[in-house]
Amino acid sequence: MFADFITNLKIKLQQPLPGEEAQFEMAHVGRERNIKPAEYKSYRPSAVLVLVYPNEHNETILLLIERMTYNGYHSGQIALPGGKAEETDQNLEATALREFFEETGADAMPEIIGRLTPVYIPVSKFSVQPFVAYLPKRPNFSVNTREVQRLIEWPFTNFISAQTVKQTTIEPMPGLKLTTPYFDVQDKVLWGATAMIMNELKWVVNRTD
């Protein structure tokens, strides 16, 4: 079952991506579209890893992290493993893998099978390149507790369920309230850029053409 899922996902990731149409289905109300190309130069390159693997029942699992609380825009958020590019990274794929290992301490090398559309985060000035990867079995993890509060192993069936998408009002910083759709992940709110990335993956998986 998992092997067939990966085979189909590889094929779908080679087709044209749905891009902003899928991303903005999970964007907060009022989020700016169509950032001007001249602005891209001021954004810091970063990358995240969308990792799937089977559990002991051969069910597909998505790996997420809950970030530690700190003084910053993305404190405590549910997110994908990843971070900003370093000068030593050969490319953004290397960034995604380096950050994945640094944050999760996994003992196996994921195979990257495709990428999704970059997401731009105006509040923190990051451009985020998502990579999709898989492992044939669950790795052992040794979490970096300086950055990650916990790992969340989210069943893929929950991810693609329509009942998982909800709406709420959040206050990401004092005085700023946003109305936004979100994914309910084990009673935690997955919103923002990560939700936009995940929604494009959802569209890719559900496509029938």
Side-chain angles (χ1 to χ4, degrees):
M1 182 170 61
F2 179 76
D4 291 341
F5 169 77
I6 294 299
T7 298
N8 290 330
L9 182 56
K10 286 179 180 179
I11 293 170
K12 290 178 177 181
L13 285 168
Q14 297 307 310
Q15 299 172 12
L17 294 171
E20 279 197 348
E21 184 181 2
Q23 291 173 348
F24 273 79
E25 191 174 72
M26 291 300 291
H28 67 75
V29 175
R31 193 185 197 279
E32 182 183 358
R33 283 181 180 258
N34 302 319
I35 297 173
K36 297 176 182 178
E39 294 183 35
Y40 295 160
K41 295 179 181 179
S42 66
Y43 280 62
R44 294 171 288 178
S46 64
V48 295
L49 196 71
V50 184
L51 179 68
V52 294
Y53 52 84
N55 64 10
E56 66 273 20
H57 305 297
N58 208 33
E59 299 164 331
T60 301
I61 298 297
L62 265 167
L63 182 69
L64 299 167
I65 64 172
E66 182 174 354
R67 296 201 177 280
M68 294 296 290
T69 301
Y70 60 91
N71 185 21
Y73 290 116
H74 307 297
S75 171
Q77 290 186 357
I78 306 302
L80 293 160
K84 65 180 179 181
E86 302 289 351
E87 290 183 1
T88 53
D89 295 335
Q90 185 176 4
N91 49 38
L92 286 176
E93 182 175 314
T95 298
L97 289 170
R98 176 182 54 75
E99 287 282 347
F100 164 73
F101 284 114
E102 287 179 1
E103 293 177 343
T104 71
D107 65 353
M109 173 63 76
E111 179 181 337
I112 292 180
I113 58 174
R115 62 177 65 198
L116 298 170
T117 305
V119 173
Y120 297 90
I121 309 178
V123 67
S124 54
K125 298 296 184 182
F126 277 109
S127 62
V128 184
Q129 175 61 65
F131 293 91
V132 182
Y134 83 100
L135 284 167
K137 65 177 183 179
R138 184 190 185 276
N140 295 311
F141 295 110
S142 179
V143 178
N144 181 348
T145 55
R146 291 175 300 174
E147 298 185 36
V148 178
Q149 183 169 321
R150 68 181 177 116
L151 300 181
I152 299 174
E153 297 180 88
W154 196 27
F156 207 88
T157 51
N158 291 0
F159 164 54
I160 61 175
S161 170
Q163 284 68 43
T164 301
V165 176
K166 301 178 181 180
Q167 184 164 303
T168 190
T169 299
I170 63 169
E171 190 171 1
M173 61 185 70
L176 177 62
K177 291 186 178 182
L178 301 172
T179 299
T180 184
Y182 72 97
F183 289 104
D184 185 335
V185 181
Q186 300 173 6
D187 296 324
K188 294 282 187 175
V189 175
L190 190 167
W191 74 287
T194 302
M196 294 169 72
I197 291 167
M198 299 302 294
N199 204 55
E200 185 177 38
L201 175 65
K202 185 176 180 179
W203 278 39
V204 169
V205 169
N206 287 338
R207 75 195 326 168
T208 57
D209 52 333

